Amino acid sequence: MIMTTLEIFLIAITAGVAGAILGLGGGIIIVPALTLLFGIPIRTAVAASTVSIIATSTGAAVAYLNDRLSNVRVAMWLEMGTATGALTGALVAGYLNQRVLFLMFGVLLAYSGYNMFKARKAELPGEVLPDKVSQRLGLAGSYHDHVLNARVDYQVTRSILGLIIMYFSGAAAGLMGIGAGIFKVPAMDQVMRMPFKASTATSNFMIGVTAASGAVVYFVRGDVNPLITGPVVLGVLLGALVGARLMVRMKTTTIRKLFIPLIIYTAVMMMYKGVSP
Amino acid sequence: MPIELILARLLRIGSIIAAILLAIGIAATLLTGAAYAPRFITAGLVVLLATPIMRVLVAGLVFFRERDWLFTLFCLVVLCSLAAGVLLGQVG
């Protein structure tokens, strides 16, 4: 019992570090680890993973907010999309063909992965012209980059398109029970042209809210097993604190190199779920 | 105080309380196996769960105090969607 708890705890720390750096929930590590290594039922594993997304988000956001890496105004604007999207996803979940969804979102992710690969050498987005909505809402931001040792001022563009994509990423989260960080980061990085570090930090800040509504439901249904979720969440929380400290000292190109294989892997897994019998 | 630092403080307090409750619960479960031990873990998880919801609420209050009506409205939309999602989950 003590050994198992310790093993779960160590895997959770790894998931927390990775999740904090990449702006994801870490569910991609937690769910397979719990089900395959420890034989824990999928419902319990998904519930534990959903609660742990909140831990990644909360733990990492403390550091990112202090460093001004998370853009609070962009996050509040886009959370309207993810929250209403998650609601719609939960409402229509029973009526849609899961296979078509997995295929569709898989193709979308593969395309994002390809675009990110093309931009892999770029440290910063360069000159970006803000759109009218971004100017009206004051979405532009700035942060101090420890690696470049310079203040980075950036603009945000295509704010409406970003909101629409967030709506669908929220719906995907509600429909398929996934953390939608893997959609949020490309939406901010490639569509809204935010610096990659600001994108992952803002995604990190946002995923806690998307996960909270899902986690409440798992709690009410009694899927949250304290003896499994407890060590997972504590581990992820500690891992996220470490990960956030590491991320601000990493080069953008390094973080991209970690993100690109993960997005390709997720895209392939989703497409596989769409076509497998 | 800028909104980032207010929210950072809120999230720090939430995660510290949750971490302490979880650590007590896990240690007590492993060492004593007492029946009350898992309740500490559950309490820690509930604190953690409430933190992001509180974060939207506090952001809304800060925007309201700054008379930033548009962003106050955004926070309200998010809170209403969260509430609807929770109610929906209980029914379904």
Side-chain angles (χ1 to χ4, degrees):
Chain A
M1 179 67 195
I2 291 184
M3 270 317 288
T4 312
T5 307
L6 205 65
E7 281 166 6
I8 292 179
F9 189 62
L10 289 177
I11 290 170
I13 291 179
T14 317
V17 172
I21 292 173
L22 300 173
L24 314 172
I28 207 164
I29 298 172
I30 297 285
V31 176
L34 289 182
T35 50
L36 300 176
L37 297 179
F38 302 101
I40 289 164
I42 182 87
R43 275 173 80 108
T44 315
V46 170
S49 159
T50 306
V51 182
S52 79
I53 293 173
I54 306 174
T56 317
S57 174
T58 308
V62 174
Y64 293 153
L65 284 169
N66 281 324
D67 278 352
R68 298 291 179 93
L69 261 179
S70 297
N71 188 323
V72 174
R73 296 179 80 86
V74 168
M76 284 318 310
W77 165 247
L78 295 179
E79 269 168 19
M80 284 201 296
T82 54
T84 51
L87 189 62
T88 320
L91 271 170
V92 300
Y95 305 101
L96 289 173
N97 187 334
Q98 290 268 343
R99 283 169 178 281
V100 177
L101 281 174
F102 273 111
L103 259 178
M104 221 169 65
F105 282 111
V107 171
L108 200 71
L109 270 189
Y111 179 68
S112 304
Y114 168 72
N115 276 332
M116 207 173 269
F117 181 76
K118 277 199 303 189
R120 68 194 178 279
K121 295 208 172 74
E123 188 69 29
L124 291 172
E127 199 64 39
V128 173
L129 211 63
D131 63 327
K132 279 208 178 75
V133 178
S134 164
Q135 283 174 323
R136 169 79 178 81
L137 299 178
L139 298 184
S142 76
Y143 66 92
H144 180 85
D145 194 309
H146 291 278
V147 178
L148 304 172
N149 197 21
R151 192 183 135 111
V152 176
D153 292 290
Y154 61 89
Q155 293 292 341
V156 178
T157 188
R158 287 185 280 201
S159 316
I160 301 275
L161 184 60
L163 182 66
I164 293 169
I165 294 175
M166 287 297 161
Y167 174 81
F168 285 103
S169 90
L175 279 168
M176 301 188 282
I178 54 161
I182 200 115
F183 292 103
K184 291 184 175 107
V185 176
M188 282 184 262
D189 168 57
Q190 290 162 31
V191 178
M192 301 171 75
R193 305 289 315 273
M194 284 165 68
F196 196 60
K197 280 187 175 182
S199 303
T200 62
T202 306
S203 166
N204 230 315
F205 183 66
M206 292 171 63
I207 53 176
V209 174
T210 320
S213 58
V216 172
V217 175
Y218 288 121
F219 250 100
V220 174
R221 284 190 195 151
D223 288 341
V224 178
N225 179 334
L227 295 182
I228 292 161
T229 314
V232 169
V233 166
L234 189 60
V236 165
L237 201 53
L238 296 177
L241 292 173
V242 177
R245 288 273 139 240
L246 281 176
M247 187 274 238
V248 294
R249 284 167 187 78
M250 285 169 82
K251 284 173 71 176
T252 292
T253 44
T254 314
I255 305 172
R256 266 189 215 275
K257 273 181 202 138
L258 298 171
F259 198 92
I260 292 166
L262 203 62
I263 197 171
I264 301 291
Y265 169 79
T266 315
V268 171
M269 286 307 287
M270 280 195 171
M271 288 193 269
Y272 177 73
K273 275 192 191 172
V275 293
S276 73
Chain B
M1 192 159 49
I3 187 163
E4 285 86 3
L5 298 185
I6 297 172
L7 298 182
R9 186 171 288 181
L10 173 79
L11 297 184
R12 187 184 294 122
I13 294 168
S15 46
I16 289 173
I17 295 173
I20 291 171
L21 288 168
L22 288 171
I24 293 173
I26 294 166
T29 308
L30 292 178
L31 301 176
T32 69
Y36 68 84
R39 284 189 202 158
F40 273 98
I41 301 180
T42 306
L45 296 178
V46 169
V47 171
L48 191 75
L49 193 56
T51 309
I53 298 168
M54 283 295 292
R55 193 265 280 168
V56 180
L57 188 70
V58 169
L61 289 173
V62 173
F63 287 128
F64 181 79
R65 210 182 49 189
E66 288 171 356
R67 296 172 183 279
D68 194 335
W69 308 125
L70 215 46
F71 273 82
T72 311
L73 177 74
F74 295 170
C75 292
L76 263 175
V77 171
V78 175
L79 279 176
C80 290
S81 311
L82 284 175
V86 169
L87 291 175
L88 199 81
Q90 278 173 326
V91 175

